[in-house]
């Protein structure tokens, strides 16, 4: 199966962007000096969360398909990262070819968000989204169970914004997004500051058990979106909390606001978080961007490189206008996603709801 050319966001939109990028002779990454602390040794957390107990019902036949995937995929995370990247690339290409509905949703989203780009370029972007997600599967597994393979692979900018807020003893809400390296970003953040995260329970109990327990190795506390008591406790304690408001949950908890120039149902829970905790020291809101700078075809002898960006705090947030606030958050996240659009999960139905309820854009 032939791999698609890699989409390069640094190149201008043109027919020439379809050609394969020029491959430079790889230079070997410098060896990690003896005695360098590992990621495990420098990991920071607010607490060590307890794992969810195993349930015997997970052995029922309805879960056997998931167990089979575990037995196939999990041993592969012990391969060298370069091989994992290659396998992730093949997995992404396979999913792009067989997951017809997800592929179609991705292409529809990209057409809405990038109408100025040629169709061939959007298709190339869509393929790269799946490739990045395939690699993201292995990045996530390693983040949970083999974190030290990422020692000395991350840089960060904007950390001073978060540190200044903490000096003022104010909690920080990091507005993130669903990037393809989602949980690896959490591991990297914990190299610089401890953080809790908000999550939505998985519909499949076995997957929820597996993902939750994997994330206990990254975050101090995982806060269910329905557990307001735990959220208030973390905010009052001045913790950093990672929250991603970039998906469509309808208008019961949100408003319509433009996202990539398209009206989108945008959740407004962050505004409600601002009212929790100590009113004299309300939460500070910043955006977090995580992405892989290394090409997916990792050269021999090279380690991957990842970068975190923390934006300055949002001034006068929240305001008295919830639509203006939602628009502002979307604009910030959009600007970060545009650094490399193919590292955001475009296969979600981001525009499934309109002002009058469900749209039919994904059914045409």
């Amino acid at each position: 199966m032939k791999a698609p050319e890699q989409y390069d966001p640094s190149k201008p939109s043109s027919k020439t962007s379809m050609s394969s990028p020029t491959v430079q002779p790889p230079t070997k990454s410098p060896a990690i000096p003896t005695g360098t602390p590992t990621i495990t040794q420098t990991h920071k957390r607010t607490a060590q969360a307890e794992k969810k107990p195993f349930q015997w019902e997970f052995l029922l036949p309805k879960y056997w398909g998931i167990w089979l995937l575990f037995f196939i995929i999990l041993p592969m995370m012990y391969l060298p990262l370069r091989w994992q990247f290659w396998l992730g690339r093949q997995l992404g290409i396979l999913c792009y070819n067989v997951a017809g509905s997800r592929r179609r949703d991705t292409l529809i989203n990209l057409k809405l968000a990038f109408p100025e780009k040629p169709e061939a370029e959007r298709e190339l972007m869509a393929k790269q989204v799946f490739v990045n997600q395939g690699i993201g599967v292995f990045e996530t597994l390693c983040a949970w169970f083999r974190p030290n393979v990422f020692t000395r692979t991350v840089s960060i900018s904007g950390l001073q914004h978060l540190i200044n807020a903490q000096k003022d003893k104010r909690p920080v809400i990091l507005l993130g997004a669903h990037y393809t390296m989602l949980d690896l970003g959490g591991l990297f953040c914990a190299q610089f500051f401890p953080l809790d995260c908000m999550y939505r329970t998985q519909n499949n109990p076995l997957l929820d058990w597996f993902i939750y327990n994997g994330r206990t190795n990254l975050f101090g506390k995982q806060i269910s979106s329905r557990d307001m008591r735990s959220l208030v406790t973390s905010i009052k304690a001045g913790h950093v909390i990672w929250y991603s408001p970039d998906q469509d949950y309808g208008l019961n908890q949100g408003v319509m606001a433009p996202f990539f120039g398209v009206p989108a149902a945008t959740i407004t829970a962050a505004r409600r978080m601002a009212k929790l905790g100590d009113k004299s020291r309300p939460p500070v809101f910043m955006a977090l961007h995580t992405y892989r700078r290394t090409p997916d075809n990792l050269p021999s002898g090279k380690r991957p490189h990842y970068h975190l960006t923390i934006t300055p705090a949002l001034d006068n947030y929240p305001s008295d206008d919830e639509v203006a606030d939602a628009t502002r958050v979307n604009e910030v996240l959009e600007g970060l996603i545009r650094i490399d659009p193919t590292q955001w999960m475009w296969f979600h139905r981001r525009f499934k709801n309109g002002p009058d309820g469900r749209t039919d854009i994904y059914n045409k």
Side-chain angles (χ1 to χ4, degrees):
M1 184 180 298
K2 184 179 178 181
E5 299 90 340
Q6 182 176 348
Y7 172 74
D8 186 349
S10 66
K11 291 183 178 181
S13 176
S14 67
K15 292 183 179 179
T16 59
S17 65
M18 292 295 295
S19 59
S20 298
T22 302
V23 178
Q24 300 294 333
T27 57
K28 189 173 182 179
S29 296
I32 299 176
T34 303
T36 299
T38 64
I39 277 187
T40 302
Q41 292 171 330
T42 56
H43 191 91
K44 300 173 177 62
R45 69 174 82 231
T46 56
Q48 177 60 61
E50 293 186 6
K51 295 183 181 293
K52 288 186 176 181
F54 180 84
Q55 300 180 32
W56 290 108
E57 69 175 75
F58 293 158
L59 300 179
L60 294 175
K62 64 180 180 179
Y63 295 115
W64 288 359
I66 298 176
W67 283 114
L68 178 60
L69 285 176
F70 287 169
F71 287 131
I72 294 174
I73 297 292
L74 288 179
M76 296 180 185
M77 70 179 176
Y78 294 99
L79 295 170
L81 282 178
R82 183 166 179 257
W83 294 12
Q84 291 186 48
F85 273 39
W86 183 88
L87 286 168
R89 184 180 176 88
Q90 306 312 309
L91 176 62
I93 297 167
L94 175 63
C95 291
Y96 180 84
N97 289 326
V98 302
S101 61
R102 289 290 188 179
R103 179 180 67 245
R104 187 168 176 272
D105 291 346
T106 302
L107 290 169
I108 291 172
N109 285 336
L110 291 173
K111 184 177 181 179
L112 291 170
F114 301 98
E116 76 284 359
K117 292 185 180 294
E119 182 178 354
E121 184 174 353
R122 291 197 299 265
E123 183 177 349
L124 187 60
M125 291 175 66
K127 291 177 182 178
Q128 192 63 37
V129 170
F130 279 78
V131 165
N132 287 333
Q133 184 58 75
I135 294 172
V137 170
F138 293 98
E139 289 173 329
T140 295
L141 291 175
C142 285
W144 292 346
F145 305 118
R146 294 189 65 211
N148 290 334
V149 299
F150 297 113
T151 298
R152 292 195 67 179
T153 62
V154 62
S155 56
I156 189 171
S157 58
L159 181 60
Q160 72 274 13
H161 305 308
L162 186 144
I163 292 175
N164 290 336
Q166 291 186 314
K167 285 181 179 178
D168 293 336
K169 297 183 179 180
R170 296 180 65 180
V172 176
I173 309 296
L174 283 179
L175 302 174
H178 287 78
Y179 300 108
T180 54
M181 55 164 284
L182 184 65
D183 281 10
L184 181 55
L187 173 69
F188 287 145
C189 284
Q191 293 302 292
F192 303 96
F193 51 87
L195 75 164
D196 301 336
C197 77
M198 294 194 67
Y199 79 100
R200 189 166 177 250
T201 304
Q202 300 293 316
N203 294 329
N204 185 292
L206 175 56
L207 283 178
D208 186 70
W209 170 81
F210 183 72
I211 293 173
Y212 183 94
N213 286 349
R215 287 176 175 170
T216 58
N217 298 323
L218 308 181
F219 304 103
K221 182 163 66 171
Q222 297 179 65
I223 307 169
S224 169
S225 57
R226 299 179 179 179
D227 188 357
M228 294 302 296
R229 179 176 296 180
S230 291
L231 177 59
V232 171
T233 299
S234 287
I235 290 177
K236 285 185 175 180
H239 291 181
V240 179
I241 303 169
W242 183 358
Y243 173 64
S244 296
D246 61 328
Q247 292 189 323
D248 184 339
Y249 294 118
L251 295 178
N252 290 333
Q253 304 178 54
V255 296
M256 296 300 297
F259 183 66
F260 282 84
V262 184
T266 303
I267 195 166
T268 56
R271 288 170 49 87
R272 294 187 287 276
M273 294 181 197
K275 301 177 182 179
L276 303 176
D278 188 347
K279 292 183 179 180
S280 65
R281 292 190 179 89
V284 177
F285 291 82
M286 305 172 185
L288 170 69
H289 182 244
T290 64
Y291 78 111
R292 173 171 33 83
R293 283 180 166 173
T294 310
D296 59 64
N297 52 339
L298 189 64
S300 177
K302 293 283 286 185
R303 292 194 301 275
H305 178 210
Y306 301 87
H307 189 73
L308 309 180
T309 300
I310 299 175
T311 69
L314 297 180
D315 294 329
N316 190 32
Y317 182 92
S319 69
D320 295 330
D321 188 335
E322 62 179 355
V323 174
D325 287 345
T327 300
R328 196 169 165 205
V329 169
N330 281 353
E331 287 176 348
V332 172
L333 294 180
E334 177 184 333
L336 296 172
I337 291 169
R338 284 183 182 274
I339 294 174
D340 184 350
T342 64
Q343 293 194 43
W344 190 69
M345 298 180 181
W346 288 98
F347 38 77
H348 290 301
R349 294 189 168 188
R350 183 62 185 91
F351 308 109
K352 64 186 177 184
N353 284 291
D356 300 319
R358 291 271 179 159
T359 65
D360 60 352
I361 60 174
Y362 297 105
N363 299 322
K364 293 180 180 179

